[in-house]
Amino acid sequence: MHGFENRGLSVPQGRFTDTGRFGRMFPELRSLKTMVPPADVLGGAGPDGGPPGPMEGPGGGVDNPRIKAGYTFLGQFIDHDLTLDATSILEQQIDLNATTNFRTPAFELDSLYGRGPGASPALYDRNCPGCFLLSEDGFDLPRNRQGTAIIGDHRNDENRIIGQLHVLFLKFHNRVMRDFTSDTGGRSRFEDAQTIVRWHYQWIVLNEFLVRTVGRAAVDAVLGSTDRAKVCSPYMPVEFSGAAYRFGHSQIRAFYPINAQGGAAIFPADPTAPPADNDLRGGRPLPEILRIDWSRFFGVAATRGKLIDTKLAPQLLKLPNGVVPPDTSAADRSLAVRNLKRGVDLRLPAGQTIANFLALPERLPDSEVWTDVPGGAGLAPLWFYILREAEFLHDGQHMGGVGAHIVAQTFVDILLADKASFLWQDRNWTPTLPSAHPGRFTVTDLIKLALGDDAPDIEAENVDNLPTELPPPAPPPTPTAPPSS
């Protein structure tokens, strides 16, 4: 989960300072200092037994026909890849603002590879040079005797779903290493496999995940207007990391079907409850009952994700112990409150301020910004505004306007700033690994390659022809008859 301090978030304020690891996409714009209603009210949970808070949604949420449940966690995996800080502790202590000696953001799977077999040998299998170490059962992350995951980024053990997604990528690399590289031996073969894996991953990020998230038109618009020769040194815009990319929090369901035996809640209803096999908190060995059937997360028949809107699952407004410290106040247990406060701390502009600056053809009407928010008025926090954009402009099925622009521009800029990416080296490159549709590559293709004969039967979706029909609205509650006298 987001919500904790990240090195480098003391972002330089002026227009003429070096960006460092984090920077501003819109340094000229004024920041939003206050909001009405305040963050604790707008993002807080309603009282027990009382009406829900303005951003508190029903437990089940509304299905998004366009984005299946697995893409929420793929988005989290991508976030960890972009924001992994491999800087040494000594360098961090010397460089408090991360203006130098920082790891640049890139889609290069450092969260998977670490620093490579030479510098991160614990991640690799000594009996299969260049291959990742897997757990004995092949389902869980590899762990030490104390249950700590042995992986390149500890955040990929935050919950049971992203942990198993990490395992999927470990197996994907091993399959490529074994079957799709020449037996040249040593470092050269490993680097060949790494390039194949990275480029196919980047293809998924750009042509599947991003297209589902912001729409094909927004992706094509940014690709058509971005000149790789003019892309500066890569940095992470705080408008992206502190607001736009947190759209995924609204997609999280309260409960996920895991396999034929059942499912589990993302978090327990009681935030003080200890970890158990009926919730998805990570940081502990995986029980057999929670081994994922990936056909329930990706493909035509998978569980749908939740709409991108201003309503979060109730458990996200009451984060449990382990996700937050036990002495956290009730207000600060709300992920929505934390996001809203973080936006103020980062001095982000209001949503309307950026919309006015960009003058995009797709615009959220000002009259719709505060719909159904008691007392809501004036300029809106960027994160809330972006969720409302998706809700109003695209029925919550994908982002639009400001949010779509920030996410698409950030992804494309990062790819073009990386001279090892397929988009910089060969924009006409197409995937070479076996897939359901030659010249394309999707998460379902990755699953089938990684798992081989153990892969579930998954029918791939056509990303350019996704379903859009929303489920019918829930019927109004039936009024109860007054008791007879």
Side-chain angles (χ1 to χ4, degrees):
M1 282 295 175
H2 294 288
F4 299 95
E5 279 302 320
N6 290 303
R7 181 174 113 82
L9 284 184
S10 298
V11 186
Q13 299 301 312
R15 288 174 288 175
F16 307 109
T17 56
D18 292 334
T19 59
R21 178 183 170 199
F22 287 83
R24 297 188 181 277
M25 189 176 281
F26 308 105
E28 309 89 349
L29 302 184
R30 290 181 177 273
S31 62
L32 178 68
K33 297 181 175 60
T34 60
M35 65 192 78
V36 180
D40 289 359
V41 176
L42 178 58
D48 292 340
M55 297 193 71
E56 185 173 2
V62 180
D63 287 352
N64 187 340
R66 181 183 177 87
I67 303 178
K68 298 299 170 45
Y71 293 96
T72 303
F73 299 92
L74 177 61
Q76 187 182 21
F77 182 88
I78 291 168
D79 170 64
H80 294 172
D81 181 35
L82 286 177
T83 59
L84 172 66
D85 190 352
T87 312
S88 74
I89 292 175
L90 177 61
E91 287 176 318
Q92 292 179 32
Q93 291 170 344
I94 294 171
D95 175 33
L96 297 178
N97 291 330
T99 54
T100 58
N101 296 329
F102 57 88
R103 177 196 176 276
T104 56
F107 296 107
E108 57 188 4
L109 292 174
D110 279 6
S111 58
L112 197 72
Y113 290 107
R115 296 182 182 222
S120 302
L123 304 180
Y124 294 86
D125 186 346
R126 66 175 64 182
N127 296 320
C128 179
C131 297
F132 284 112
L133 180 69
L134 301 176
S135 66
E136 289 187 8
D137 65 17
F139 292 93
D140 195 9
L141 294 163
R143 298 182 184 275
N144 65 18
R145 288 183 299 174
Q146 296 178 325
T148 302
I150 306 172
I151 53 176
D153 187 340
H154 67 92
R155 295 174 299 172
N156 283 353
D157 193 24
E158 284 180 349
N159 64 66
R160 307 302 187 98
I161 299 175
I162 193 174
Q164 292 181 76
L165 187 62
H166 189 102
V167 172
L168 197 64
F169 273 87
L170 297 179
K171 292 181 176 180
F172 177 50
H173 167 88
N174 287 358
R175 176 71 191 280
V176 170
M177 183 77 183
R178 184 175 66 247
D179 295 341
F180 297 98
T181 56
S182 300
D183 190 10
T184 54
R187 181 169 178 172
S188 176
R189 185 177 185 184
F190 170 79
E191 290 178 347
D192 288 347
Q194 192 178 47
T195 297
I196 293 171
V197 169
R198 282 174 168 168
W199 279 26
H200 284 77
Y201 162 68
Q202 290 167 1
W203 178 275
I204 287 173
V205 168
L206 182 66
N207 292 291
E208 184 177 14
F209 178 80
L210 188 60
V211 169
R212 286 177 185 270
T213 300
V214 305
R216 174 68 73 181
V219 176
D220 289 346
V222 170
L223 283 171
S225 63
T226 303
D227 183 352
R228 70 179 179 181
K230 295 181 180 179
V231 174
C232 62
S233 298
Y235 71 95
M236 182 64 65
V238 288
E239 297 89 346
F240 172 88
S241 62
Y245 203 63
R246 293 175 182 247
F247 77 91
H249 293 162
S250 75
Q251 294 180 298
I252 297 172
R253 305 191 72 97
F255 182 91
Y256 286 93
I258 298 295
N259 51 44
Q261 285 69 50
I266 188 70
F267 295 136
D270 177 4
T272 65
D277 288 351
N278 62 354
D279 76 70
L280 293 171
R281 283 176 287 180
R284 52 210 167 107
L286 178 73
E288 184 174 348
I289 195 173
L290 292 181
R291 292 177 179 175
I292 284 179
D293 173 357
W294 288 111
S295 67
R296 297 174 183 268
F297 285 81
F298 297 100
V300 171
T303 302
R304 293 175 172 184
K306 191 179 126 343
L307 292 179
I308 305 171
D309 57 21
T310 56
K311 303 296 184 183
L312 273 64
Q315 289 96 323
L316 299 185
L317 304 191
K318 298 179 180 179
L319 295 176
N321 294 344
V323 176
V324 295
D327 60 353
T328 301
S329 68
D332 286 337
R333 284 184 181 271
S334 167
L335 184 59
V337 170
R338 298 171 78 92
N339 285 346
L340 293 166
K341 288 183 175 179
R342 175 62 60 84
V344 173
D345 291 343
L346 291 175
R347 298 181 173 89
L348 298 181
Q352 295 99 316
T353 303
I354 296 180
N356 292 337
F357 178 81
L358 291 175
L360 298 171
E362 186 178 59
R363 172 69 186 264
L364 174 67
D366 289 343
S367 59
E368 297 293 336
V369 174
W370 293 110
T371 300
D372 298 328
V373 177
L379 296 176
L382 181 57
W383 175 63
F384 178 87
Y385 183 90
I386 285 169
L387 296 180
R388 182 67 88 192
E389 277 184 322
E391 189 175 18
F392 180 83
L393 296 175
H394 298 288
D395 293 325
Q397 296 189 42
H398 65 83
M399 303 176 80
V402 169
H405 175 83
I406 292 174
V407 171
Q409 190 69 65
T410 300
F411 273 40
V412 170
D413 282 353
I414 287 174
L415 278 169
L416 288 177
D418 175 10
K419 294 184 179 180
S421 75
F422 89 85
L423 196 62
W424 195 93
Q425 292 205 4
D426 183 0
R427 187 172 283 203
N428 294 320
W429 176 84
T430 56
T432 58
L433 292 176
S435 61
H437 302 283
R440 297 187 180 188
F441 197 75
T442 67
V443 178
T444 55
D445 296 315
L446 186 152
I447 292 169
K448 292 177 180 179
L449 267 179
L451 301 184
D453 293 341
D454 295 327
D457 184 21
I458 307 178
E459 182 183 353
E461 293 180 292
N462 181 350
V463 73
D464 289 315
N465 188 29
L466 295 170
T468 58
E469 183 178 355
L470 290 171
T478 304
T480 55
S484 56
S485 55

